């Protein structure tokens, strides 16, 4: 009978679909990295794209981006920090932008290793101001908790790790144990691009923000990186890190979007309970993309917190 052969062929095609979909996406080649607007550090864990803004000799501020948007999300923020007298280091997390599609479970240790290797490569040994946005806020908090003696100030912008992120239409793709991985690799890009269209904003500093994000979904290794980070980092709370930060007495500023559909304002209350010393700034009318849509208000919050 032909049916067993047909069913076998269908099963084989289904099983091979994730690998085929990934193979069809654009790889991040050495030549492509050579065209990056910055530099490439060949770290033990893999090539990392980074950029310095500001003057040599100024105190160092490190900016850590979130789950899905590479370091260009700090286009306005790095300029604001430089005007405040900081030398600003931004970089692409593994799996995003021009950085390596490094192997391994993308939990907190995975990203802390990349950050420490980059700081070592760049000979950054003095005190730091660390700024983390969204998932980057969770990484920044972990770094500040473990490297308390190095961190003078911690700035969290719509940080993850305090309360569960709000569910999106495609959220079930990430949570389903087996089929979630298949759907993410095969259809995740389509789902994310649809969300970008439906939630299109009017950014003031990155006019082609949604187009650049859509291009990421067509890059090899990006969707598996998002899936791994969701499962190995964002699925876990960082409450203990904030308690250690509180106990050390590190200065903390948290900036929130009042209309954020991803990180609910309940996270602000949770941080306040874990670290009553933390300072909070809430930006009216801002959503999760507040770095692009409300750069002036973010800049003013940074100036008020950091100015001597």
């Amino acid at each position: 009978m032909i049916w067993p052969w047909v069913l076998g062929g269908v099963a084989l095609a289904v099983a091979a679909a994730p690998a085929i979909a990934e193979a069809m996406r654009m790889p991040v080649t050495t030549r492509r990295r050579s065209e990056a607007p910055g530099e490439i550090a060949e770290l033990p864990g893999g090539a990392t794209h980074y950029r310095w803004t500001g003057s040599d000799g100024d105190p160092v501020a490190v900016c850590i981006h979130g789950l899905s948007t590479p370091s260009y999300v700090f286009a306005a923020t790095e300029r604001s920090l430089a005007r405040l007298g900081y030398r600003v280091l931004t970089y692409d997390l593994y799996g995003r932008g021009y950085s390596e599609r490094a192997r391994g479970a993308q939990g907190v240790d995975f990203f802390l290793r990349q950050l420490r290797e980059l700081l070592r490569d760049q000979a950054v040994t003095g005190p730091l101001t660390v700024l983390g946005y969204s998932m980057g806020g969770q990484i920044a908090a972990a770094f500040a908790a473990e490297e308390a003696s190095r961190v003078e100030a911690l700035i969290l912008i719509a940080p993850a790790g305090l309360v569960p992120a709000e569910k999106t239409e495609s959220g079930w793709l990430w949570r389903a144990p087996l089929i979630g991985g298949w759907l993410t690799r095969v259809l995740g890009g389509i789902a994310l691009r649809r969300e970008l269209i439906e939630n299109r904003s009017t950014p003031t500093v990155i006019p082609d923000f949604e187009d650049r994000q859509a291009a990421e979904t067509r890059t090899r290794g990006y969707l598996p990186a998002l899936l791994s980070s969701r499962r190995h980092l964002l699925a876990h709370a960082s409450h203990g890190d904030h308690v250690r930060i509180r106990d050390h007495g590190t200065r903390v500023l948290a900036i929130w979007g009042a209309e954020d559909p991803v990180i609910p304002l309940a996270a602000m209350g949770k941080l306040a309970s874990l670290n009553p010393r933390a300072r909070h700034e809430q930006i009216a009318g801002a959503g999760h993309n507040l770095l692009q849509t409300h750069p002036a208000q973010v800049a003013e919050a940074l100036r008020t917190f950091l100015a001597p």
Side-chain angles (χ1 to χ4, degrees), residues 60-110:
V60 173
V62 180
C63 296
I64 309 171
H65 68 77
L67 173 70
S68 60
T69 310
S71 57
Y72 61 71
V73 73
F74 294 117
T77 310
E78 61 186 348
R79 293 195 295 268
S80 297
L81 288 168
R83 284 194 294 268
L84 291 172
Y86 286 87
R87 186 173 182 235
V88 187
L89 175 62
T90 58
Y91 68 102
D92 292 340
L93 296 173
Y94 287 138
R96 287 86 171 165
Y98 295 96
S99 286
E100 190 80 45
R101 274 43 184 165
R103 294 184 179 183
Q106 295 197 4
V108 65
D109 291 337
F110 177 88

Side-chain angles (χ1 to χ4, degrees), residues 29 87-88 128-129 144 156 162 192 204 208 214 245 260 267-268:
T29 61
R87 186 173 182 235
V88 187
L128 303 169
T129 291
L156 305 171
L162 290 159
L192 288 173
T204 57
D208 58 346
I245 292 166
D260 192 337
M268 182 171 67

Side-chain angles (χ1 to χ4, degrees), residues 65-67 93 96 111 133-140 160 229 233-234:
H65 68 77
L67 173 70
L93 296 173
R96 287 86 171 165
F111 290 117
Y133 164 60
S134 194
M135 185 182 81
Q138 192 168 359
I139 299 168
S229 296
L233 179 58
L234 293 176

Side-chain angles (χ1 to χ4, degrees), residues 28-40:
V28 182
T29 61
T30 301
R31 179 177 179 180
R32 186 176 177 187
R33 288 195 182 99
S34 69
E35 301 169 352
E39 305 293 334
I40 302 295

Side-chain angles (χ1 to χ4, degrees), residues 146-177:
E146 293 190 11
E147 305 273 356
S149 62
R150 301 183 66 182
V151 179
E152 288 190 328
L154 173 64
I155 300 167
L156 305 171
I157 301 179
L162 290 159
V163 299
E166 290 295 308
K167 296 178 181 179
T168 62
E169 289 184 14
S170 64
W172 63 279
L173 290 176
W174 317 105
R175 295 190 299 274

